[in-house]
Amino acid sequence: MSPHARTASLLTLGCLVAAALALLPSRPAAAQAPLLDTFGGPLGYGTNSLASNDDGSSEAIDLTPAFPGGLNFFGGPYTTAYVNNNGNITFNGPVYNYTPTPFPVADRPMIAPYWGDVDTRGGGYPDENAVTWELQPGVMAVTWHDVGYYSINDDRKMDFQMILRNALGCGMGDFDVEFRYQRCEWTTGDASGGSGGLGGTPAQAGFDAGNGTDFVEMPGSRTMAILDLCTTSNVGEPGIWRYTVRGGTVTCPDTGAPCDTGELGACGVGITQCVGRDEVCMPAGSSSPERCDGIDNDCDGMVDDGEDLCTAMEACIEGVCVPPCFEGGCAEGETCTDEGACIETACIDVTCGEGERCRGGTCVGACDGIVCPHGQQCFAGRCADLCEVLDCPDGEVCVDGACQPECPCYPCDEGETCGSDGACIPAGCDLTVCDPGFYCVEGECLDACDGAVCPEGQRCEAGACVDGPPPTPDAGVPPTVDAGPTGGPDAGGSTGGDGAASGIDGGVSREPPEPGCGCRAGGATPSPSWLAGLALLALAWRRRRR
């Protein structure tokens, strides 16, 4: 006997819904993402299957043949799972519910490619109405192939698949999830307020931690738009949706981008994360003692305010501690201010926003015109290697001033190979050792200073910007030029921006370009305290490899 509580009132409501939906244009069957058929069994979807049923579930399935250490999914590790007829798998026990309960739900950890009222009693197995699964080393595949809906309706079909893959090289229990949708035609069973497969309470898809708090809900859940899973994607391939589970937490593609939390100063720095039903801006910056760096470090709405920001003989001017000047001691076109610092005369009455500087009487991005040496990034008008101060979490490695997942946990792009430190490097560079100030491309060592344009008052030497004017042409050092095809990092000269709110240009990226650097130009040599401040904003630029 099915656990369904079927009532005459629901059927009456279903008739009314059907009459209304009959006036709407029907959705054609969508065959967008072919299901993978390499798992054995009659159609290649697996050798294990549920008998034709309504609201049934499998016995406990031992996961250790595929995942010896179990799966870390908001807890665990889980070494058993249950395949539920109604479009999901669970870890604490079977689930018979046919109408999806809105996430989050307590005590029921669940991965649901399509939680709806599946009814496979229409027959036709294995060509249709089949719920099958297979475990292989490092893989679990579960397929709901051309399944109907309650009650024994076959006029509309759903054809979808869930594949779990062990994340080799990642933390114990980490895994990847892929949902594939080949046919999307119904949303609702007759006992969920629907009729003809539509209306009522539509299906739901996503992840539920089972703790009543944490969940990730896929677009369109519990609405008619759930049918769009066949034609949309989060990875640019219609019908395919991919997620990663690292440290027990679900991560969505294309998150980890910088965002503005709406708070003041450094507290406004955030990182996009997939939380619940939305992509939200989670705080990454926090309040810290004010420093002379052009940033509102203490989040009080004022930049470089307070005393003792510089030594007794220096003044904080536009984010830089500068020595005092005296009347007549400044260069042509500059004036000694009341604060005792030489600034451009045209900039005396100009007030620039946070992360900007005055040049010729006009406010510009502090990194405009600066191109840092390869491997360094521009911040507050200075060039530094953020990897020296950035502490990446487990499973990630710092490359070009940003944390990114280690390989082989994530595959490298074409033309790259996985280095011993977990970073993807150009092919041919795994056996090449370059001298300091040089970097490798296709097995060849190139000068990191080629194409560099250091901040005013600095020159590029041994792959770093140091104090001092550029060398004269007869000094035997070629003038800096655009690095061109070598792909030297752009410090944001073409975009500029706010160093506190817009982030840092991390250099060469394997992803589509991210927003540029917002910095402040200055000639002071970076100090340890200044470098420590870089780590805060660097967190907002965690690049994610696809």
Side-chain angles (χ1 to χ4, degrees), residues 295-356:
I295 297 171
D296 177 14
N297 306 108
D298 56 8
C299 306
D300 66 353
M302 301 180 66
V303 177
D304 294 345
D305 62 310
E307 300 179 355
D308 301 325
L309 300 183
C310 301
T311 65
M313 297 300 294
E314 293 182 321
C316 181
I317 305 297
E318 294 191 0
V320 179
C321 290
V322 297
C325 63
F326 56 89
E327 190 64 34
C330 297
E332 183 178 356
E334 296 182 339
T335 298
C336 185
T337 67
D338 293 339
E339 292 84 3
C342 293
I343 69 169
E344 287 187 73
T345 303
C347 293
I348 290 178
D349 296 322
V350 177
T351 300
C352 295
E354 185 174 352
E356 295 182 325

Side-chain angles (χ1 to χ4, degrees), residues 241-411:
W241 296 75
R242 296 191 181 107
Y243 300 85
T244 62
V245 182
R246 299 291 182 268
T249 302
V250 178
T251 301
C252 307
D254 299 327
T255 54
C259 57
D260 186 353
T261 66
E263 301 293 329
L264 296 175
C267 298
V269 177
I271 299 174
T272 57
Q273 293 186 12
C274 191
V275 177
R277 299 176 177 88
D278 304 297
E279 183 179 289
V280 300
C281 185
M282 300 295 291
S286 59
S287 176
S288 62
E290 194 71 13
R291 298 183 297 275
C292 180
D293 55 5
I295 297 171
D296 177 14
N297 306 108
D298 56 8
C299 306
D300 66 353
M302 301 180 66
V303 177
D304 294 345
D305 62 310
E307 300 179 355
D308 301 325
L309 300 183
C310 301
T311 65
M313 297 300 294
E314 293 182 321
C316 181
I317 305 297
E318 294 191 0
V320 179
C321 290
V322 297
C325 63
F326 56 89
E327 190 64 34
C330 297
E332 183 178 356
E334 296 182 339
T335 298
C336 185
T337 67
D338 293 339
E339 292 84 3
C342 293
I343 69 169
E344 287 187 73
T345 303
C347 293
I348 290 178
D349 296 322
V350 177
T351 300
C352 295
E354 185 174 352
E356 295 182 325
R357 59 189 170 97
C358 180
R359 181 64 70 203
T362 302
C363 292
V364 298
C367 273
D368 284 0
I370 296 176
V371 180
C372 293
H374 181 85
Q376 294 195 344
Q377 300 76 42
C378 182
F379 174 81
R382 304 170 178 86
C383 293
D385 182 2
L386 295 183
C387 290
E388 294 181 356
V389 296
L390 188 58
D391 184 16
C392 295
D394 292 340
E396 296 191 357
V397 61
C398 187
V399 178
D400 292 330
C403 294
Q404 63 185 29
E406 292 182 355
C407 58
C409 176
Y410 282 81

